[in-house]
Each structure stands twice: as C-alpha cells, then as structure tokens.
Amino acid sequence: MAISRDNSNIASPFFQSKDFQCVIFTGYEPSSISPMCALVDYFIDNIDLSYFAGYKKSNAIIGGRPALDDRIILKMHMYSLHCDIPIRQLQKHDSIGSEFKFLSHGIHHYPGRASFSRMLEILDGHIEDLFEKHLRSIDDIGIEIDPSALYCGGTVFEADNSRHKIITGKNLKRSNEKWSGVLDSAGSSAEQKALATQKLQQNGLRASKLAGLKRNSYGRADGGCVIMQDKNKSFIAGYNVQFVAECRHGIIVHSYISNKNPDSEAFSDIVDFAIEKHLPKNFAVDAGYGTPEIMEKFVSKGVVPITRARKVENSKSIINECSFELPENEKSLTCPTGRTLVETKHKDSDAAKRFKSESCDGCEIKYKCCPKTKNKSILINLNEFKALKIAASAMASVEGMEIYSHRANKCESPNGFIKYNLKGKKLTMVGLKRNKTIIHLYAILHNLRRVISIINYT
C-alpha cells in the first residue's frame, strides 16, 4: 500500500530517528511513505504512553511469548482509521515496503483482533490524556495554537445500530397495544397468546430500562445511542458529536460525544470546561447554541459570545425581548418606538422582572408587538436579557462579524474531513465510552492533517 508522492516538505524531518535496521526490515523509502503515516509514527513515538506498561504482566519469570507493544498497535489502529481499513483486513496490507510494515516494525508477530481490542480497552481510560499530549506535541514542533477565539460545531454520527432496533416510549406503547389485543382476542390461538405474553413481559423490561436511563430512546445493539435526525432530516440511531476548534489554524482543542439532543444541550456539558481550560476572549457558535442559558454562561465567565442569539420561546416573533433596551437603573424598558415600560409587581421568581407599558395606543408596530393585548407586558430574566444583548451587540460589531465569518470553515472542516475523507460517518464501535475514544482519535488525525497543511504552506 506504498504511496508515492512528494514529501520534501514534511517527511524528512520525521524520519531522522529511524535506524538502518528499520530500513532493511520494512523495505520503506521516505519517498514512498505518506506524510500522514510519517506523522502518526512520529507523534506516537514522542508522546509519553508509559501507562500502557502498567497493564502488562511480566513474562521474564513465567516464560512464554512477550507481550506486543501497545504503542505500535496504536499506530496501526490510527492509520487504519485514516485509510478506512477494518482491523481484520490489516494483515493483507502488511507487505514489504508498505506503510503498515513501516508502522509495525518492532513487533515479533502480527497482532490479532484481540490485541487491538485490548489496546483500545486500555486507551478508553486514558484517551483525554493522549489528546492533551498530542496538542502539546503540536506546540513543540512550532505550530502555535491560539485559543483567544474558539469555534464549536456539532454533528450527528450514525451508531452501529439499525434505526429499526431503537427502543422508544412511543414504540413500546404501540407494541403493547398490539400484543394486548392479541392476548385479549377470543380468536387467538394458545401459541399466539403465549407469544403475546412473552412480548408484553419483554416490553415491561425495556420500559424499566428506558425509565432508568432517563432519556427517550436507546439502541438494542448499542445501548448508548439514541434516535436522532441527521442533516437530511432522516431518523437514525446515532450520537451527537461536538468539536471545539481554535481560531488560528482550525486545530481541534476539544471533542465531545454524547447522546443528548439538540446541540445546545450537548454543548452545555462542555462549555464550562472549555472556557476554564482555554480562557477564550470570544466563542463563536451558530444560532442553535444561542439559548439564553448558554449566553448567560458565556457572559458570566467574561467571554463574548459571537452568535445569532435566539429565544427559546417566541423565537419566530419579529418583536421580542431583544428588541427592547434596558436603562442603567434597570427600573424600566424602552421599546423600539421609544415608549417606556415600567416595572410592575409579579408573582414569578426573584430572578425575573415584569415590565408593562402604560399605553400602546397609536403605536405603529403594535400589531407585531402585542396584537392580542391592549398594552405590552414583558417578563424577563435580567441576567439572560443582558447576556442576549451583549451577544447581539458583539455580533453587530466589525470584529464580531469577522470572527463569525470563519465559523463555518472552522466548524464544518473537521466534520467533513472525518465523515467523508476518513469515512467515519458511521461509527463501528459499540457504546458511548468506546466511541468517545474513536472520536478523539479522529480528532487527532484531523489535527495531524492540519499540521501537514501548515508545514507545506509555510
């Protein structure tokens, strides 16, 4: 599977540590090894993965075949993800002079599927550490990561579970009605009634599991996935994946996978961590993330949100809370036509205030603002209101528009590369924990691709 290409700008610096024995036994030539293969080998060799040794049993006393090097197995697995080659087919590509022969140099026998599974099982508990170390390695070779502005985008990855094997409350209700009818029907045979009893018992167990998971669905083959809609509005069994990229090179600095929907709910799990770790000045997200709760989180931590903020309720209204202005004394509101809404007493929470206009007679936009009431009345949460106004002001500024103009490129590029270049649109592993590891490895491969582009460009 050797690939001939011009590697003059990227390959040579990462082959300097290779000894003559490696050249002889693998049959590789620098001109036949792709830049991605060279970088995978280089980065894994230069990252501290000593925790792998803690999971090995010593063979010095008891004898037997020595354990395989998990570092080499990790190289092979990462490159198999890049080439979209299943583990069971790797040995077919391990011929003399191939890239997999180059990566597997140093192991005494070819690893089986059990060796890859064992390596991934260990990596599940250390994947975030590996991800952070690879970011430091990128910085060590002179590529500066700039988190002053961060971008986040979400996408749906299809799980290794048929959409027809998703358990939902609606499906259980429909199934219970069907089999209860069979059980109660006088025309049903003894066999049919026995089957109906079995199905109803099974549905009871599934309903109990669904209630315990506290979500609206789960997969029969992959219990971690849920039913979601992809960009084509088709229902699939999948996961919600969030990538956070920095502003200079579009390098992914954080990745997250969850079974929450929509994007705003998944993003709420990581926004605090991302801000505290990277201390960004600006955070650009699309309108799907522009909920009052997320805007308030940004502002409370000193981060300027760059987004088209929206309201959870009345999001399609032409005139809503964001159309009004709050004076410094916070005792009144000013409507778009300059009329004043004064604070009134209300029975709602202390965090909210109600403002009401004394008269809306003669207002030219009354039919858009309050067509069903005599005078306009608004109940607002002051913290959320201020956050939404800050977001709207930032989005309208020249700097905000410039930052937001790069959002699609920074956010959609990782999704496109992983889903279509790496053929990772459908996850082949089962469970949230294992797929978290795979998504992080995909993110690392995307970042290595960015390293290649940056070095070649400069």
Side-chain angles (χ1 to χ4, degrees):
M1 124 145 226
I3 303 174
S4 298
R5 63 189 75 188
D6 180 14
N7 294 333
S8 57
N9 294 332
I10 183 69
S12 57
F14 304 108
F15 286 103
Q16 294 175 359
S17 62
K18 298 301 170 186
D19 54 25
F20 181 72
Q21 185 185 42
C22 177
V23 176
I24 295 297
F25 281 97
T26 65
Y28 86 91
E29 296 178 1
S31 61
S32 67
I33 302 298
S34 69
M36 181 62 79
C37 179
L39 275 176
V40 168
D41 180 73
Y42 174 84
F43 275 102
I44 298 302
D45 276 345
N46 288 276
I47 289 177
D48 178 18
L49 299 178
S50 55
Y51 46 76
F52 275 124
Y55 294 88
K56 292 184 177 180
K57 295 179 181 179
S58 175
N59 297 60
I61 298 176
I62 62 175
R65 188 165 58 179
L68 295 173
D69 188 344
D70 286 309
R71 184 187 296 270
I72 295 177
I73 298 177
L74 176 58
K75 291 179 187 179
M76 298 172 68
H77 181 68
M78 285 188 64
Y79 201 60
S80 73
L81 290 176
H82 176 261
C83 299
D84 187 34
I85 299 175
I87 296 299
R88 61 182 178 273
Q89 296 181 11
L90 278 186
Q91 196 163 3
K92 298 178 182 179
H93 300 268
D94 193 50
S95 57
I96 294 295
S98 71
E99 293 177 331
F100 281 103
K101 177 64 73 174
F102 165 72
L103 293 174
S104 65
H105 172 67
I107 57 176
H108 44 80
H109 66 278
Y110 204 83
R113 293 180 65 182
S115 298
F116 286 95
S117 297
R118 177 183 172 279
M119 182 275 298
L120 287 173
E121 186 176 353
I122 297 172
L123 198 60
D124 287 342
H126 301 276
I127 188 60
E128 292 183 356
D129 174 73
L130 173 65
F131 189 81
E132 293 302 318
K133 286 177 178 176
H134 109 276
L135 289 177
R136 288 197 291 271
S137 295
I138 291 176
D139 187 67
D140 289 342
I141 65 173
I143 297 177
E144 184 179 354
I145 295 175
D146 182 7
S148 61
L150 295 179
Y151 298 83
C152 184
T155 187
V156 174
F157 278 73
E158 187 176 355
D160 190 20
N161 189 106
S162 169
R163 69 182 181 90
H164 301 292
K165 294 184 178 181
I166 284 283
I167 304 300
T168 67
K170 185 176 180 180
N171 290 342
L172 288 175
K173 181 180 178 180
R174 185 166 56 242
S175 179
N176 284 334
E177 291 175 353
K178 170 187 173 181
W179 292 111
S180 294
V182 172
L183 192 62
D184 297 337
S185 174
S188 299
S189 64
E191 291 80 5
Q192 289 174 326
K193 290 188 175 183
L195 178 61
T197 301
Q198 181 183 356
K199 292 292 186 180
L200 289 172
Q201 290 175 347
Q202 186 180 60
N203 287 346
L205 295 174
R206 288 172 174 174
S208 298
K209 180 177 179 178
L210 189 61
L213 292 173
K214 297 181 180 179
R215 44 188 164 95
N216 61 2
S217 61
Y218 73 90
R220 286 166 56 186
D222 182 354
C225 68
V226 295
I227 191 164
M228 292 185 173
Q229 273 189 309
D230 61 14
K231 67 177 184 179
N232 298 320
K233 304 300 181 182
S234 300
F235 286 100
I236 62 171
Y239 290 97
N240 190 329
V241 176
Q242 304 287 316
F243 292 120
V244 178
E246 52 87 40
C247 61
R248 178 164 296 182
H249 302 297
I251 290 173
I252 298 173
V253 296
H254 189 71
S255 60
Y256 178 70
I257 182 172
S258 78
N259 44 32
K260 292 184 178 181
N261 220 8
D263 286 337
S264 57
E265 289 192 16
F267 183 64
S268 294
D269 292 342
I270 63 171
V271 59
D272 291 328
F273 174 81
I275 292 174
E276 291 168 6
K277 179 174 177 16
H278 301 289
L279 303 176
K281 177 185 175 184
N282 302 291
F283 214 126
V285 291
D286 65 27
Y289 299 81
T291 64
E293 294 79 11
I294 290 179
M295 296 301 100
E296 186 179 355
K297 279 189 176 184
F298 281 141
V299 174
S300 65
K301 294 181 179 296
V303 177
V304 178
I306 308 296
T307 183
R308 292 185 173 90
R310 62 182 174 88
K311 289 291 293 180
V312 176
E313 298 178 359
N314 301 323
S315 60
K316 296 181 180 179
S317 299
I318 298 175
I319 305 296
N320 58 23
E321 289 88 327
C322 293
S323 304
F324 292 74
E325 298 295 334
L326 181 69
E328 292 183 3
N329 61 12
E330 300 182 359
K331 298 296 184 182
S332 63
L333 282 180
T334 304
C335 80
T337 61
R339 302 190 183 210
T340 300
L341 286 75
V342 297
E343 182 181 355
T344 62
K345 293 182 179 180
H346 64 93
K347 298 180 181 180
D348 301 285
S349 65
D350 295 335
K353 285 188 176 184
R354 182 171 292 281
F355 298 90
K356 187 174 182 179
S357 172
E358 295 180 349
S359 176
C360 291
D361 294 338
C363 178
E364 61 271 20
I365 62 172
K366 185 178 184 302
Y367 71 98
K368 296 181 180 179
C369 187
C370 54
K372 297 182 180 181
T373 59
K374 182 178 179 181
N375 297 318
K376 180 68 174 180
S377 177
I378 299 180
L379 179 67
I380 63 171
N381 180 303
L382 289 182
N383 292 332
E384 291 180 355
F385 180 82
K386 292 175 184 177
L388 290 168
K389 297 298 287 187
I390 290 173
S393 176
M395 190 64 192
S397 67
V398 175
E399 180 184 7
M401 292 175 65
E402 171 63 22
I403 293 173
Y404 193 80
S405 68
H406 300 287
R407 189 204 64 81
N409 180 49
K410 303 294 184 184
C411 296
E412 302 304 330
S413 178
N415 295 339
F417 177 75
I418 292 170
K419 281 189 171 184
Y420 303 108
N421 292 57
L422 302 186
K423 305 296 190 298
K425 184 177 181 180
K426 182 180 175 76
L427 299 170
T428 58
M429 299 292 179
V430 173
L432 188 60
K433 187 175 182 180
R434 178 57 51 83
N435 282 316
K436 173 185 174 182
T437 299
I438 300 302
I439 287 297
H440 275 74
L441 293 179
Y442 275 137
I444 291 174
L445 289 171
H446 168 269
N447 290 345
L448 295 186
R449 192 280 302 259
R450 293 297 304 133
V451 168
I452 295 171
S453 298
I454 293 164
I455 293 178
N456 279 333
Y457 179 76
T458 55

